[in-house]
Amino acid sequence: MAPTLRRVTTIAPLHLVVLAGRETLDRPVRWVAVSELEDPTPFLEGGELVLTTGMRLTDADAVPYVSRLVARGAAGLGFGVGLGHDAVPPGFVAAAAAEGLPLLEVPRDTPFIAIGKVVSELLAAEQYEEISRAFAAQGRLTRAALQPGGVGAVVDRLAREIGGWALLLDEAGAVRHAAGGADANPRAGRETDSRTDGETDWARAVARSLEPELVRLRRTPTLASVALAGPDEHVIVQPLGRRAFFAVGSGRPFSPTRHTIVNAAGSLLTLSIEQERARGREQRAAEARVRAAALSLLLAGRVEAAEEALAALSGKPGEGQRAGELPEGPLSVLVCAHSETELDDLAEALPCFTAPRGGLLVAMAAEAETETIAELAGRHGRVGVSVPGVVTVERSADDFAAGLDQAERALASATPAKPVVRFPELAGQGLLSLLDPAAAASFAAALLAPLRDYGSRADLVESLRAYLSCNGHWDAAAQRLGVHRHTLRYRMRRVSELLGRDLDDPAARAELWIALSV
């Protein structure tokens, strides 16, 4: 904060005499401006102590001169005597008293530059003090961040540093932690307690009132913060990366020092939240490795060993069953391919046993919960679902292997338009739906290559397709192609020679039809 006129007038070597406006001496002085102009206001910004000897001023100029200074927001007027005037003209004293503008008499022996130096030194001292306070506050915030409950401790400390309230909000705008209490927060709407557990009425009320600002910050990633000002409150809302927000409020404007403190708290909160997420990722990765090992044990038939490994995981609650454990009774197997959702986030979203396997996520759910889990997983990507209850209560290795195979085959048929495919649905899609697409395509390309490479104008591939589609009936196939049946007979002999296969052999016909279909 800038030094006040009262502080300047107490500097004894300056010998300043207060002639008017003694009751407003607590105005801050932001600079000293020396001017002999009849109207210096175009060169002022407000908050200056204007010094003049009045060389071009008379008593008649007092009222307009003082009025212009007041309108410009000058902190005060220092009138130097002993040069243009032996004493301050009475008109200036009266005008200053009438306007409430502090008027100081500056004796001839006091150089104007001495006043400027004093104010400059006071400003520098204030700035140093402000910086020192900011550093001290940053130190206290840093120590708070190092505590076990670092995030909450930073929020608590910040509320005390700014003399107001502070909220930590999650990505959706829900309150994670609150400090300061309703008595420091007019946005709360009514008096409540000042608990800092994030569950008080005032904290939720403030969070709701700030939702429009959170929407702005989500939609405009370049916004570093949003500042709100009202007659009885000043609020700052800042994003913490993409995972959270925090808001602070106070009954008085935020000074540069307090802005520095708020920004420091924001940096510490961002770091603490990222560290929390990193620790969470490490823990989830370790748990995923245990579940992957348990899945391998299940596929090997070592169910008891798998259940012992899973018992060590705490998991998250879900329908009375821990998510890390296998539900009782018959099980269904699901295989999930994520889209934009990472595997660990997808695993976190499914309230059942999950384990990573070959870049996919394998889930096992109770038979009755299969559809619920499939629908939930389908929101994040493609899902293949086995026959419900394919893993019986005996839980043999064959059951787990069959369920995994069914789910993987169903997954191969899933598309963005139809993200969830159940294995029983494949029965209506024919034999081709059970083939590996890449392997089938390679087989078809290799088998039909001699026909595609044949140099004749005749399209042997389409001629073979027509022949097989008509079950070897020459007339029907020739009519479909628009050629004579003898021409078709010639082409089929050429096909048989190029492929080295007997077209009367049912097995050869079946292979060729599959290749053409692929």
Side-chain angles (χ1 to χ4, degrees):
M1 180 180 294
T4 64
L5 274 176
R6 191 180 304 278
R7 175 75 178 91
V8 176
T9 60
T10 59
I11 306 299
L14 298 179
H15 303 292
L16 302 177
V17 179
V18 180
L19 301 180
R22 188 177 296 276
E23 66 281 0
T24 57
L25 285 177
D26 290 323
R27 293 179 177 181
V29 179
R30 305 192 183 282
W31 201 243
V32 173
V34 179
S35 177
E36 298 299 340
L37 297 175
E38 295 178 1
D39 182 11
T41 55
F43 306 96
L44 303 179
E45 292 182 346
E48 295 91 352
L49 171 59
V50 179
L51 301 179
T52 181
T53 62
M55 294 173 59
R56 305 174 64 178
L57 300 175
T58 65
D59 219 27
D61 299 318
V63 172
Y65 186 89
V66 171
S67 297
R68 286 192 293 266
L69 291 182
V70 171
R72 190 59 173 172
L77 173 62
F79 207 106
V81 296
L83 290 175
H85 300 272
D86 292 333
V88 178
F92 278 87
V93 177
E99 292 282 358
L101 179 71
L103 175 60
L104 311 179
E105 181 182 274
V106 183
R108 178 182 173 82
D109 294 337
T110 300
F112 283 177
I113 194 172
I115 301 175
K117 285 183 177 180
V118 166
V119 171
S120 179
E121 291 170 356
L122 290 174
L123 286 170
E126 288 285 350
Q127 289 174 355
Y128 178 79
E129 188 176 348
E130 289 280 318
I131 293 173
S132 298
R133 284 197 293 267
F135 275 123
Q138 290 178 23
R140 291 188 290 269
L141 288 168
T142 302
R143 288 191 292 273
L146 296 175
Q147 296 179 13
V151 171
V154 171
V155 175
D156 295 340
R157 183 74 252 175
L158 177 61
R160 289 194 292 271
E161 292 293 343
I162 65 172
W165 54 267
L167 292 181
L168 177 63
L169 310 172
D170 65 15
E171 187 177 7
V175 178
R176 279 191 56 184
H177 196 85
D183 54 345
N185 189 345
R187 300 180 74 89
R190 63 187 181 87
E191 289 292 323
T192 56
D193 59 47
S194 58
R195 293 175 296 164
T196 59
D197 58 5
E199 296 297 332
T200 58
D201 291 340
W202 74 265
R204 289 191 294 269
V206 173
R208 285 193 296 270
S209 72
L210 294 176
E211 182 56 34
E213 315 312 324
L214 302 185
V215 171
R216 286 180 59 195
L217 290 169
R218 293 188 193 102
R219 291 178 177 174
T220 315
T222 55
L223 278 180
S225 64
V226 173
L228 308 172
D232 54 359
E233 68 168 345
H234 297 266
V235 178
I236 296 175
V237 186
Q238 285 190 11
L240 301 173
R242 296 183 177 181
R243 297 287 180 173
F245 301 90
F246 84 106
V248 293
S250 175
R252 55 195 177 95
F254 285 87
S255 66
T257 298
R258 298 171 81 206
H259 271 291
T260 301
I261 294 172
V262 171
N263 292 335
S267 299
L268 290 170
L269 287 172
T270 301
L271 179 60
S272 297
I273 289 173
E274 288 302 317
Q275 288 176 335
E276 282 185 354
R277 293 189 67 241
R279 289 192 293 268
R281 284 194 299 269
E282 291 173 0
Q283 181 177 352
R284 289 197 297 271
E287 293 179 355
R289 288 193 291 271
V290 173
R291 292 195 297 270
L295 178 59
S296 297
L297 291 172
L298 292 173
L299 294 172
R302 301 177 59 188
V303 177
E304 187 174 337
E307 290 180 341
E308 289 178 358
L310 294 175
L313 299 179
S314 59
K316 58 185 177 183
E319 300 296 329
Q321 188 79 29
R322 294 190 309 192
E325 299 176 350
L326 291 174
E328 297 180 356
L331 304 177
S332 302
V333 180
L334 301 88
V335 176
C336 313
H338 66 96
S339 53
E340 297 180 356
T341 304
E342 296 296 335
L343 278 184
D344 57 347
D345 292 334
L346 178 56
E348 191 74 11
L350 300 182
C352 64
F353 169 84
T354 60
R357 181 179 174 84
L360 302 173
L361 187 72
V362 177
M364 294 187 186
E367 183 177 8
E369 298 176 355
T370 302
E371 288 305 312
T372 300
I373 300 298
E375 180 183 355
L376 182 58
R379 300 173 188 172
H380 301 274
R382 297 180 296 112
V383 185
V385 186
S386 72
V387 171
V390 64
V391 179
T392 63
V393 291
E394 286 77 15
R395 302 196 175 187
S396 67
D398 291 340
D399 285 350
F400 286 110
L404 182 61
D405 180 68
Q406 291 176 9
E408 288 178 338
R409 291 180 181 274
L411 177 65
S413 297
T415 65
K418 183 177 173 57
V420 180
V421 175
R422 298 156 186 83
F423 183 75
E425 298 172 358
L426 299 181
Q429 299 179 14
L431 178 64
L432 293 179
S433 64
L434 301 179
L435 300 179
D436 178 79
S442 298
F443 165 78
L447 181 58
L448 300 176
L451 305 185
R452 298 190 183 282
D453 296 340
Y454 184 62
S456 171
R457 291 180 298 172
D459 190 340
L460 297 184
V461 173
E462 289 306 313
S463 296
L464 177 61
R465 186 189 304 276
Y467 174 73
L468 295 178
S469 297
C470 295
N471 296 316
H473 294 295
W474 298 106
D475 290 337
Q479 186 177 0
R480 176 177 293 190
L481 291 170
V483 299
H484 196 277
R485 65 178 181 274
H486 294 312
T487 301
L488 181 59
R489 286 178 183 273
Y490 170 78
R491 290 181 182 178
M492 291 304 99
R493 283 197 301 271
R494 177 58 63 189
V495 167
S496 180
E497 293 170 359
L498 291 172
L499 298 180
R501 294 172 183 263
D502 182 3
L503 296 186
D504 291 330
D505 182 357
R509 287 192 182 193
E511 281 190 347
L512 290 170
W513 179 248
I514 290 174
L516 290 170
S517 299
V518 172

